[in-house]
Amino acid sequence: MLAPCAGRVLPVTDCVDPVFAGQLVGPGVVIDPPDGETTVTSPIEGTVVKVHPHAFVVAGGATGVLVHLGINTVRLEGRGFEVHATQGARVTAGDPMVTWDPAALPDEVAGEAISRQVPVVVLDVPADSLDLSALPEKVGGGDVLFTTE
């Protein structure tokens, strides 16, 4: 699993969103990206199952991965995101998916706090089923983040 963007790496349990923190979507990590425009890339090779301006899912083999650009960013209705991928397309790890600037996010939209945290979660596996004992503290975009079996 490659890091879809650079930043500080935290356990998903540290996510500000209780759904991600509770691993209800799946186990994984959160990346706290730095300021500045960046292109978030696919963490694996596979098919783009879903793509929204604020999130995308790529499935490859038995692994599906959700990358969510920020928390409550769905409320921005696409403002501030440039989508490069199309649903159903084949991608390789490192292909560009969405460009955004975390520093350009508002503090809140429609009364909901906005966070720049980027959850990267593996779908359809039980909570706490990944070995994340060797997580790096920081990653560059495209660095190895963790491995799955």
Side-chain angles (χ1 to χ4, degrees):
M1 188 78 51
L2 302 183
C5 60
R8 188 169 58 107
V9 179
L10 305 166
V12 77
T13 53
D14 287 356
C15 185
V16 296
D17 183 307
V19 173
F20 284 112
Q23 300 184 57
L24 301 177
V25 181
V29 301
V30 170
I31 299 175
D32 186 14
D35 288 350
E37 186 173 285
T38 186
T39 297
V40 178
T41 60
S42 178
I44 63 171
E45 179 178 342
T47 301
V48 179
V49 176
K50 282 284 185 191
V51 63
H52 299 284
H54 65 282
F56 60 87
V57 173
V58 177
T63 303
V65 181
L66 167 67
V67 178
H68 204 282
L69 286 70
I71 302 300
N72 290 328
T73 48
V74 65
R75 296 189 178 276
L76 297 172
E77 299 178 344
R79 292 185 307 273
F81 300 92
E82 180 184 357
V83 177
H84 305 292
T86 57
Q87 193 165 309
R90 293 281 306 165
V91 293
T92 60
D95 279 355
M97 300 296 289
V98 179
T99 298
W100 72 322
D101 183 349
L105 294 175
D107 292 336
E108 69 174 48
V109 171
E112 297 282 339
I114 302 290
S115 168
R116 66 173 54 215
Q117 288 188 337
V118 178
V120 180
V121 297
V122 178
L123 304 173
D124 301 320
V125 297
D128 297 320
S129 63
L130 300 176
D131 179 4
L132 301 174
S133 60
L135 278 181
E137 289 183 28
K138 287 187 171 187
V139 289
D143 289 354
V144 173
L145 190 56
F146 58 85
T147 59
T148 60
E149 292 184 31

